[in-house]
Each structure stands twice: as C-alpha cells, then as structure tokens.
Amino acid sequence: MRTAKLTTDGTITLKHVAALAGVSPITVSRALNKPDTVSDKLREKIERAVEQLGYVQNHVAGALASAGSNVIPVIVPSLSNTVFVEVVAGIQEIAQKTGYQLMLGNTDYDLDQECALVSTFLGWSPPGLIIAGMKHLERTHTLLKRYGKPVVEVMEYGAHPIDMNVGLSHYQAGEAMAKHLIERGYKQIVFVGCQLTADYRAWQRYKGMDRVLAKAGLTRRPPVALEQTSHVQVGGPALIDVLATQPDVDAIFFANDDLAVGAILRAQRDGIAIPGRVAIAGFNGLGLAELVMPALTTIVSPRMEIGRIAAQQLFDRLASRSPRRRRVDVSFELIARQST
Amino acid sequence: MRTAKLTTDGTITLKHVAALAGVSPITVSRALNKPDTVSDKLREKIERAVEQLGYVQNHVAGALASAGSNVIPVIVPSLSNTVFVEVVAGIQEIAQKTGYQLMLGNTDYDLDQECALVSTFLGWSPPGLIIAGMKHLERTHTLLKRYGKPVVEVMEYGAHPIDMNVGLSHYQAGEAMAKHLIERGYKQIVFVGCQLTADYRAWQRYKGMDRVLAKAGLTRRPPVALEQTSHVQVGGPALIDVLATQPDVDAIFFANDDLAVGAILRAQRDGIAIPGRVAIAGFNGLGLAELVMPALTTIVSPRMEIGRIAAQQLFDRLASRSPRRRRVDVSFELIARQST
DNA sequence: ATGAAAGCGCTAACAG
DNA sequence: CTGTTAGCGCTTTCAT
C-alpha cells in the first residue's frame, strides 16, 4: 500500500524537476549527465530544482533508454576465500573511482551456477564483465562471446581467453615450488589441498609440482584432497594426518597459506620440528606467512593488483582506448623462508 | 561498431521468442516469471523457443516496467576488513538462494561517500537495502526514509534504526572485556586500535571499556590510535611500542584479532611473556585466535550470522511476512583463553 | 544550446 | 489461461 502509493504518485521524476526549473526534461537529463552541454544559468536553476525536490535519478530507465548501464558484474567462486575478496577489492577500488558499480556473483565453485549468473547479469546490460577463471561451460562461453562487450577473465593466465585475461600460471607456480623444494634437498614431497576438484587452480599447482617431481625422478604421491572448505583450522589436523599415514614425507606443499599457517601453528604446539621433521610451503603470500615461526615459504600472488589491472583493462576498453595488452601475466614471486 | 550492431538488430527480445513460439509477448513473460500461470503445452513451446534463440531476459526493461528490481544494494565501509566480507557472504548466501542479486558499495569509512552510494543505488529501484552502521548523514537518513522500502542496518545494535537493525552492542562488548581483564587482576589496561575516528565501532568498544575502568577506579589511558589500516602486520610493532612508551601497562585490549594475533606472534618471536609481561585480548573471534600460542582471549561476534539474519529479515518483509523482530541483538561471546 | 517526438523491452491492468 | 493496450522514466535521434 505504502510502496504502491510511493511509486504511483510519490516518485519525483525528471519531468517534475523540468517543470520546476521551467525547462524540458531532456535539458535536465543533459544537465545531470553531461553538465558542459548546458548553459551555466540553466544548469544552476536545474540543480536547485533537483535539490529542492530531492530528485533521485532513475538508473533503470536510463539504462533501458540508452541500452547500457554502469554496473559491472563480478563473478567469483567464493567469498570465504580471502584471495577472491582481494581481487574484488582491487576491482572496486578502480571501479568506484571511475563511477562504476559492482554487481557481485558467487558461483560456489559450480559451473552451472556460474552460467546462470552470467545469464542473469547480462540481462542488466552491463558495459562489461569480470569473471574469475577460464574454465566455463560451453553455454557460458557462447553467452559471453555473443554478448560482444569487454570481458576479463582473472586469476589464471591462460591461452584462449574469451576476450581479455589477467592472472598468473598456477601450473608454473607449482613447478616453481617443486623446484625450490628439490633444491633444498627434499625428496618425499606431497601436495595437500581442500576440494581439489572444484578448486582446479590448486589442482593446477599440484600438476605443475607433479611434473617437476616426475622429471626429477622423485616419488610422485597422489595429492591429499581434503573434503572440508579451506580454513586455517584445517591445516593442523592435516599435518598430523599426513605425518601419521605417510611418515616418510619430508615436505608438504599446501594449496594455500591458510592451511600452511595452520600446520605451522600446530607443529609449534606439538613440538614438531619445521623444517627438521617436515618442511612446509604455502601459496598466496598472506601477511601472516612471515610472522609465524618458522616463517613460511610461500608464493606471493598480487591479488589486489589483478583486480586493479582487470578493472583498468576493462575501463580502458570502454573508453575505447585499447588496453595495453589483451593478456596480462602478473606472474608470482617465490619467497623462501625458514619453513623449508 | 560491433556492439552498436548487436544492440541495434542483434538483440533477441521477448517479441522474437513470442513470434517463434506463436504466442503473445506477455505469455512469454509469464512463462518465464510465473511458470505456473501458463499451460504446460505453451510453456514447453516457449522454453524451446528461448533455448533455440538463446534469449536472455532484459532485467532493465523488466525493472522499469514493474518499478522494481531484485537487486539488493549492500553498503559496507571496507572490503579489506574480513568482518564486513563475512557479513556480505552471509547476505549473499541467503540472497542468491532466494534469487536476489547483490550490488556492492564501499564507503571507505566516508559518510559523504556513503550518501552518494545510497543515492545511486536507490536509482536502481531496489526492493530493499542493507547498510553497515547506524551513523549516517542527515541527508542519507532522509533518502532512506522517503524511499519507504525495507532497510536493514547491520553490525551495531542501536536504539533508533531507520527501519530494521541486526547487530550487537560494541559498547557492551568493550565493557565485557574490561570486566574480564579486571577480574583476572589486570590494572593497567590500554586500548589499541587503527583509524579509530573512522572505525567508530572500535571506538565504542573503547568507550565501553573506559567506562568500566572508570567505575572500577582504575587508571584510564587514552586509546592508542594507529594511523595505518588494520592488519596483522601492525600488531607486532604496536605491542613493542606500547611496551616501550607505557611500560607499566599490564594488559592490552586490541581493537580486533588481527592486531592481537600479530602482537602474540611478535611476542613469541621476541620472547615477551604473554600474559606474564602483558596480557593480550582481541575482538572478532577469528579461527586463528585459538591456534596461536598462547591462545587469544577474544570476543566472538557472529558476522556471517548477522548477514544471514539481515537478509532473512529483508526477504521476510518483501514476502510481506513481517519479520520476527524489527531489532535483533545477535549479542557476542567472550572466550577467555591463555593470553589473559 | 535547447526542444519535440519516438521508443528502449518489458509488465500491469484489464478484458475475454 | 491468454491477449490487448498502455506506459514505466529516461535518452536517442533529429530539428530549431
């Protein structure tokens, strides 16, 4: 009732502003959207009218009439994982500065859900879209291709982006860590991660590691794939479990720093020598990694930077400046500390 | 050029689907939005047409015609702070399940920015809105009131919500921690936080603590307000600094667990006895808090739950079920561990 | 620099 | 259960 009344007669539209200012609606529209195309006198009058009526622009109508909005969908697989949040934060930073809004979608690592989200989001006539990952359903691909506007795939760096791509090679990251561990003399290396089927980037790191192990002629162990969602709490029990079931293991490459930090903290508590009894490595480069004892060897990925670059690429294209490069490998840095 | 072409003639609309299915556009609309109001036969035919043409609903047009969208704006002061992200995740969980989309805004702890965001977001005719905090500009208040649809203010629990409110009293949380510290015999207690002017909830915790200190006749110290953004990295240096400049301090109440964990990790490294030399307490109840040594005394706030409840309240109202309560105090739990 | 007319794609309201 | 008519509030032409 109340809402109905509001939308029926309470709403203040361009017309009302126009009437009060004594101009035509289109002039008000211009004054609001392209201020310099309207004379100072009228603009001031209009601004006063807007203020007086408390007019709020209806972006829905605007988007329909101009067949485009300033809302950028951002699709990520999870919000419980810091990593994606940081990417979103990076995008946000640039987007908000440039006057764009973000619409947030969460796939829960489910490609069908992802496809549904893409479809819904495209219905909002966004000027572009940012999506985590390069592995999508065929249908998602088709939707995005046909859509024909800038799309940035982030997190991974891969060969055949739909449009633009900003990320790093997780496969190479895995290789790098394996090489590092081998250099330090470890021979019985195992990969531990959570939900490895869904989190295929972690899987890629495993594969990278596995390849190096194979080439070096070292024991190739199947990855330890935990069912739970990745949490700092999970690392400790995982460490204990690996040590019990595979006592000959001398190094663990955890899928991420949360797990690795959890393991180190537990080792400390239980008096397990790191790296004496077993070496521990992580991935991400969280701030925490350098604070624990021993400090954690890890691979730093520039998450927020990925977000910033992705957004920048997108906006460059929207401003019809062509982006620097269609594909950006932000790379990574292995930081060797005391835990290995 | 390419995009222009796409939007000019490449776009597939309801009409096209209707034509192909041999029905009127409104029937297609109904088949898509209220499937049970259309006969099975037609619905199937329509679905096939949709599939065949790869039709994507235009939500902008839908929202304009029906004067309402299913996009819920969520406004938070920061994305770098886990706490808000968890609330957003909670909201997301419920929203996505219910078929709503989130539009994310970040105020950077700036009330003017907040007002601008509210104004923009209202232009998208959202059915409701969720915003962190209860401290807004007068103008923001007016906008939200006049808007007349469900609004949920989250994080704090306060006396005069615009509409609905889900959160906890940070003042009481501060009191609780002060009482705990006093009970354990600490007498020289100081509060340490980052950006205390912007993060007024942390300030409220300080005030709560200060009040209890005053009542107990203990030394009241000004809070240590650090300039940097709150990070686990900041905790260590802060600890060292406090110990150097206020050597008589015997307990530190950090504004959050990140800082407190950073301090504990540093203490461990430097051989500072916790709680022997100084006791340390935090706020939030991060998973990490129980893993460090000594385990951290902290106050657990149900962040994700706040998000879930807020979303639930909102959707209850949208379904014209009136929400259970207009104001929900989710409360908090003090967990005393070894660090105090 | 300003205005008039037309329509974006969809759905509310009513009719059948 | 299905269709017709009208219009959401704005912006895009195209004039002036």
Side-chain angles (χ1 to χ4, degrees):
Chain A
M1 192 60 208
R2 199 159 105 262
T3 45
K5 201 179 161 202
L6 270 172
T7 53
T8 307
D9 43 280
T11 326
I12 289 145
T13 72
L14 259 195
K15 278 184 189 167
H16 303 162
V17 178
L20 183 62
V23 297
S24 77
I26 186 63
T27 306
V28 179
S29 168
R30 286 201 266 252
L32 261 30
N33 299 317
K34 302 164 194 163
D36 17 299
T37 65
V38 169
S39 67
D40 291 3
K41 226 181 75 183
L42 279 190
R43 202 181 47 244
E44 271 173 41
K45 213 195 272 184
I46 289 168
E47 273 162 9
R48 230 173 300 126
V50 165
E51 197 55 44
Q52 192 178 329
L53 295 172
Y55 169 67
V56 176
Q57 262 186 290
N58 184 332
H59 293 112
V60 178
L64 179 58
S66 63
S69 75
N70 66 342
V71 178
I72 310 280
V74 176
I75 299 177
V76 294
S78 155
L79 283 178
S80 340
N81 192 327
T82 345
V83 174
F84 299 109
V85 175
E86 289 178 77
V87 175
V88 174
I91 298 172
Q92 254 270 354
E93 187 188 313
I94 306 298
Q96 209 140 283
K97 205 178 289 175
T98 328
Y100 286 88
Q101 245 62 59
L102 298 193
M103 193 176 256
L104 192 63
N106 181 344
T107 70
D108 271 322
Y109 287 103
D110 175 347
L111 292 181
D112 288 304
Q113 173 96 33
E114 178 185 89
C115 187
L117 278 172
V118 167
S119 179
T120 313
F121 284 159
L122 290 187
W124 285 100
S125 316
L129 179 147
I130 299 179
I131 187 167
M134 308 191 71
K135 211 172 140 187
H136 318 286
L137 295 185
E138 191 54 38
R139 203 176 125 64
T140 311
H141 244 96
T142 315
L143 279 168
L144 254 18
K145 279 281 191 196
R146 180 163 31 173
Y147 163 53
K149 292 191 194 157
V151 171
V152 193
E153 289 168 282
V154 293
M155 301 307 290
E156 303 151 55
Y157 180 68
H160 303 294
I162 297 176
D163 181 12
M164 294 180 280
N165 175 216
V166 180
L168 58 95
S169 164
H170 290 256
Y171 190 85
Q172 282 175 21
E175 289 183 328
M177 186 57 84
K179 282 177 193 155
H180 164 80
L181 291 172
I182 292 173
E183 252 170 41
R184 293 240 169 149
Y186 300 104
K187 295 200 182 326
Q188 299 298 331
I189 306 172
V190 68
F191 186 91
V192 177
C194 293
Q195 305 178 128
L196 254 23
T197 320
D199 186 358
Y200 67 90
R201 275 170 291 267
W203 181 260
Q204 287 170 349
R205 297 194 284 278
Y206 158 69
K207 290 304 276 181
M209 175 190 101
D210 191 55
R211 175 150 179 283
V212 171
L213 256 36
K215 276 177 80 175
L218 295 174
T219 321
R220 297 167 62 189
R221 294 160 189 271
V224 177
L226 307 169
E227 305 258 313
Q228 312 125 78
T229 24
S230 189
H231 259 320
V232 68
Q233 322 259 27
V234 177
L239 169 70
I240 302 302
D241 184 62
V242 168
L243 258 26
T245 58
Q246 307 187 50
D248 55 329
V249 160
D250 61 9
I252 304 178
F253 180 15
F254 280 99
N256 59 57
D257 283 358
D258 290 291
L259 295 175
V261 164
I264 287 186
L265 258 16
R266 176 61 175 268
Q268 196 168 52
R269 230 163 236 270
D270 290 10
I272 299 167
I274 309 286
R277 168 64 186 88
V278 64
I280 288 183
F283 177 86
N284 271 343
L286 299 189
L288 203 53
E290 60 173 320
L291 301 180
V292 291
M293 264 194 346
L296 176 67
T297 292
T298 186
I299 288 180
V300 185
S301 63
R303 280 100 48 198
M304 215 181 283
E305 198 54 23
I306 288 179
R308 286 201 201 95
I309 296 176
Q312 202 54 63
Q313 297 264 114
L314 190 64
F315 298 138
D316 279 358
R317 267 276 280 287
L318 292 179
S320 78
R321 276 172 270 137
S322 53
R324 285 116 193 141
R325 298 145 291 179
R326 231 169 66 100
R327 299 170 61 214
V328 181
D329 182 356
V330 295
S331 192
F332 56 83
E333 188 188 1
L334 192 151
I335 303 197
R337 299 202 181 96
Q338 293 83 54
S339 72
T340 53
Chain B
M1 191 61 208
R2 200 160 105 261
T3 47
K5 200 178 163 203
L6 270 171
T7 53
T8 307
D9 44 281
T11 326
I12 290 146
T13 72
L14 259 196
K15 279 184 188 166
H16 303 160
V17 179
L20 182 62
V23 299
S24 77
I26 187 68
T27 306
V28 178
S29 169
R30 286 200 266 254
L32 261 29
N33 298 316
K34 302 164 193 164
D36 17 301
T37 65
V38 170
S39 68
D40 291 3
K41 227 181 73 183
L42 280 189
R43 201 180 49 244
E44 272 172 40
K45 214 195 275 184
I46 290 168
E47 273 162 10
R48 230 173 302 126
V50 165
E51 197 55 44
Q52 193 180 328
L53 295 172
Y55 169 66
V56 175
Q57 261 185 289
N58 184 330
H59 293 112
V60 177
L64 179 58
S66 64
S69 76
N70 66 340
V71 179
I72 309 280
V74 176
I75 299 176
V76 294
S78 156
L79 282 180
S80 340
N81 192 328
T82 344
V83 174
F84 299 109
V85 175
E86 289 179 76
V87 174
V88 174
I91 297 171
Q92 254 270 354
E93 187 187 313
I94 306 298
Q96 208 139 285
K97 205 179 289 176
T98 327
Y100 286 88
Q101 244 62 60
L102 298 192
M103 193 176 256
L104 192 62
N106 183 342
T107 71
D108 272 321
Y109 287 103
D110 175 346
L111 292 182
D112 288 305
Q113 172 98 29
E114 178 184 89
C115 188
L117 278 172
V118 167
S119 178
T120 313
F121 283 158
L122 290 188
W124 285 100
S125 316
L129 179 148
I130 300 179
I131 187 167
M134 308 190 70
K135 212 171 139 186
H136 317 287
L137 294 185
E138 191 55 37
R139 200 175 127 65
T140 312
H141 245 97
T142 315
L143 279 169
L144 253 17
K145 279 281 192 199
R146 180 165 30 172
Y147 163 54
K149 290 191 195 158
V151 171
V152 192
E153 290 168 283
V154 294
M155 301 307 289
E156 304 151 54
Y157 180 68
H160 304 293
I162 297 175
D163 181 11
M164 294 179 281
N165 175 216
V166 180
L168 58 95
S169 164
H170 290 256
Y171 190 85
Q172 282 175 22
E175 289 184 329
M177 187 56 84
K179 282 177 193 155
H180 164 79
L181 291 172
I182 292 173
E183 251 170 42
R184 294 240 169 149
Y186 300 104
K187 297 203 183 324
Q188 300 298 331
I189 306 171
V190 68
F191 186 92
V192 177
C194 293
Q195 303 179 127
L196 255 24
T197 320
D199 186 357
Y200 67 91
R201 277 172 290 269
W203 181 260
Q204 286 169 350
R205 298 196 283 278
Y206 158 69
K207 290 304 277 182
M209 177 190 99
D210 191 55
R211 175 148 179 284
V212 171
L213 257 36
K215 276 175 81 175
L218 294 175
T219 321
R220 296 166 62 187
R221 293 161 190 270
V224 177
L226 307 168
E227 305 258 313
Q228 311 124 80
T229 24
S230 189
H231 259 320
V232 68
Q233 322 259 29
V234 177
L239 170 70
I240 302 303
D241 184 61
V242 169
L243 257 27
T245 56
Q246 307 186 51
D248 54 329
V249 160
D250 62 8
I252 304 178
F253 180 16
F254 281 98
N256 59 56
D257 283 358
D258 289 291
L259 295 176
V261 163
I264 287 186
L265 258 15
R266 176 60 176 267
Q268 197 169 50
R269 228 161 237 269
D270 290 9
I272 299 167
I274 309 286
R277 169 63 186 87
V278 64
I280 288 183
F283 177 86
N284 271 344
L286 299 189
L288 203 53
E290 60 172 320
L291 301 179
V292 291
M293 259 187 0
L296 176 67
T297 292
T298 186
I299 288 180
V300 185
S301 62
R303 279 101 47 198
M304 217 183 279
E305 198 54 24
I306 288 179
R308 288 201 200 95
I309 297 176
Q312 202 55 64
Q313 298 263 114
L314 190 64
F315 298 137
D316 279 359
R317 266 275 281 286
L318 292 178
S320 78
R321 277 172 271 136
S322 52
R324 286 115 193 141
R325 300 144 290 179
R326 233 171 64 102
R327 299 170 61 214
V328 181
D329 183 356
V330 295
S331 192
F332 55 83
E333 188 188 358
L334 193 152
I335 303 197
R337 300 203 181 95
Q338 293 84 54
S339 72
T340 53

